[in-house]
């Protein structure tokens, strides 16, 4: 049991440290880039907001969980606890929405039929910016409902159960709150995940077709290196697989915690760890994936021009 506790402490500490350094450093990089050039490419703008939302998740979930497993228990009151949970849910939803927006935009960018977008880059940037800010405002308002709900339930005489997160206690959600959560939070997340799968599949098909179209050119060369299309496809699959695996697993585990009457600390810790995996390590996968796709798009546009 001591070995398990030590492992949990090390995992939380490493996840939180890596996530904070990775997301905040990349967010700072894009801010410096913005102030130097006074503009950002649409993809850079999406990535900056994605890093910011990931940082919110890590600061509101990773830091308090790390403090709890290292011995600092129940250090938040009801308001502070609910505020942290509000930021967690808000940041998670915005992160999923931005990942979906990034995937769709990249699918359009590398699509040969979307080449005409180069003449409308200012309009695209404006629409992308509006979409991102709408995501922030929409989920800020939606999650505010669940921020207020526990304070309403505190005055109810039927409340017999509280949820223990280690660093605080909150009133358990009722049937009405659960239904609203599914309709307003879970359903959009499922829709975003489906769109991510669709746009990623479209990118893989485009890359495969491009690879087949230039096969006769590469076969005449003496080099047998892995094609850039294959590398980009592998990175797309790695990005989508890691995103869907960790977010789906964390959603299932969170649902188990809600419906289980007796709380299991192993399940609580594993749920928190899986919820932090993509926000912590996703930035490094995203940057590798984006840089390869950008190089591929640049090569394709040069070939198209010539």
């Amino acid at each position: 049991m001591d070995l398990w506790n030590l492992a949990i402490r090390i995992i939380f500490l490493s996840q939180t440290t890596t996530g904070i350094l990775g997301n905040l450093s990349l967010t700072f990089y894009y801010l410096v880039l913005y102030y130097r050039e006074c503009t950002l490419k649409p993809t850079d703008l999406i990535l900056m907001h994605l890093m910011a939302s990931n940082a919110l998740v890590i600061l509101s979930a990773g830091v308090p969980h790390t403090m709890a497993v290292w011995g600092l228990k129940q250090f938040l009151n009801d308001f502070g606890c609910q505020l942290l949970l509000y930021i967690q849910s808000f940041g998670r939803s915005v992160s999923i929405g931005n990942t979906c927006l990034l995937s769709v935009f990249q699918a359009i960018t590398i699509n040969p039929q979307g080449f005409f977008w180069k003449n409308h880059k200012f309009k695209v940037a404006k629409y992308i910016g509006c979409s991102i800010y709408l995501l922030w405002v929409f989920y800020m308002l939606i999650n505010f409902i669940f921020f207020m709900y526990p304070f309403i339930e505190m005055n109810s005489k039927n409340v017999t159960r509280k949820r223990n997160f280690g660093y605080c206690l909150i009133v358990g959600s009722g049937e009405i709150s659960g239904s609203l959560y599914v309709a307003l939070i879970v359903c959009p997340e499922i829709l975003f995940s489906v769109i991510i799968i669709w746009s990623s599949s479209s990118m893989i098909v485009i890359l495969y077709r491009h690879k087949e179209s230039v096969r006769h050119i590469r076969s005449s060369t003496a080099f047998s290196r892995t094609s850039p299309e294959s590398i980009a496809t592998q990175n797309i699959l790695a990005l989508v697989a890691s995103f869907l695996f960790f977010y789906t697993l964390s959603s299932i585990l969170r649902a188990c915690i809600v419906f289980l009457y007796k709380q299991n600390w192993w399940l609580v810790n594993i749920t928190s760890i899986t919820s932090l995996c993509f926000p912590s390590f996703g930035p490094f996968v995203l940057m590798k994936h984006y840089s390869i796709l950008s190089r591929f798009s640049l090569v394709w546009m040069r070939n198209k021009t010539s």
Side-chain angles (χ1 to χ4, degrees):
M1 192 65 180
D2 293 336
L3 183 62
W4 164 256
N5 289 332
L6 179 62
I8 289 293
R9 291 178 178 181
I10 294 174
I11 291 172
F12 269 115
L13 186 61
S14 60
Q15 271 190 322
T16 303
T17 305
T18 303
I20 291 175
L21 292 177
N23 286 284
L24 292 184
S25 60
L26 290 175
T27 303
F28 180 74
Y29 164 77
Y30 284 118
L31 287 174
V32 171
L33 189 65
Y34 173 76
Y35 282 113
R36 278 187 174 183
E37 302 182 2
C38 296
T39 183
L40 287 175
K41 293 184 294 184
T43 312
D44 294 333
L45 184 63
I46 299 172
L47 284 171
M48 185 182 72
H49 285 271
L50 178 59
M51 303 308 164
S53 59
N54 285 340
L56 282 180
V57 175
I58 295 168
L59 291 173
S60 59
V63 173
H65 272 105
T66 302
M67 296 171 66
V69 297
W70 281 92
L72 189 58
K73 304 284 187 179
Q74 310 299 334
F75 58 89
L76 289 174
N77 57 16
D78 292 334
F79 178 80
C81 183
Q82 195 58 34
L83 180 61
L84 273 187
L85 295 178
Y86 168 77
I87 297 174
Q88 288 177 28
S89 179
F90 167 60
R92 172 189 168 92
S93 298
V94 174
S95 176
I96 295 175
N98 278 313
T99 304
C100 177
L101 191 61
L102 176 67
S103 183
V104 171
F105 179 76
Q106 288 185 333
I108 295 173
T109 302
I110 70 170
N111 189 348
Q113 297 177 354
F115 188 67
F116 71 93
W117 279 43
K118 70 187 177 91
N119 298 322
H120 303 279
K121 58 182 179 180
F122 295 108
K123 290 184 179 180
V124 172
K126 183 177 69 174
Y127 294 147
I128 290 295
C130 291
S131 301
I132 294 173
Y133 293 123
L134 281 175
L135 274 176
W136 284 93
V137 173
F138 174 75
Y139 280 112
M140 188 180 296
L141 296 176
I142 290 299
N143 283 279
F144 187 75
I145 299 173
F146 305 102
F147 176 74
M148 295 302 299
Y149 181 81
F151 297 104
I152 298 173
E153 284 294 303
M154 284 179 186
N155 298 323
S156 175
K157 297 181 180 179
N158 297 325
V159 177
T160 58
R161 181 187 172 198
K162 286 192 174 185
R163 294 175 59 190
N164 189 352
F165 291 93
Y167 51 87
C168 65
L169 288 167
I170 65 164
V171 177
S173 58
E175 294 182 0
I176 297 177
S177 177
S179 301
L180 286 174
Y181 183 83
V182 171
L184 300 176
I185 302 295
V186 177
C187 288
E189 288 184 1
I190 294 174
L191 177 62
F192 285 150
S193 300
V194 171
I195 295 175
I196 290 172
I197 295 173
W198 168 77
S199 57
S200 300
S201 302
S202 300
M203 284 190 280
I204 292 173
V205 171
I206 293 169
L207 291 170
Y208 176 77
R209 288 177 178 174
H210 183 271
K211 179 182 177 181
E212 292 297 314
S213 65
V214 299
R215 181 186 292 273
H216 65 282
I217 300 175
R218 290 174 180 160
S219 61
S220 61
T221 62
F223 298 99
S224 60
R225 296 177 181 175
T226 304
S227 65
E229 295 88 356
S230 299
I231 298 175
T233 300
Q234 292 171 8
N235 280 272
I236 291 170
L237 291 174
L239 172 64
V240 176
S242 59
F243 172 82
L244 293 177
F245 175 77
F246 288 121
Y247 270 118
T248 303
L249 181 59
S250 64
S251 298
I252 294 173
L253 293 175
R254 288 170 70 179
C256 292
I257 292 176
V258 171
F259 290 108
L260 286 178
Y261 185 78
K262 290 186 178 180
Q263 200 164 21
N264 189 318
W265 277 111
W266 285 39
L267 184 61
V268 172
N269 288 327
I270 293 174
T271 302
S272 301
I273 290 172
T274 54
S275 299
L276 290 170
C277 281
F278 188 80
S280 296
F281 306 109
F284 307 102
V285 180
L286 282 167
M287 290 306 297
K288 183 180 178 182
H289 160 73
Y290 166 60
S291 61
I292 290 175
L293 272 186
S294 297
R295 289 196 296 269
F296 172 79
S297 300
L298 182 60
V299 170
W300 183 87
M301 292 196 315
R302 285 176 178 173
N303 293 336
K304 185 79 173 177
T305 304
S306 60

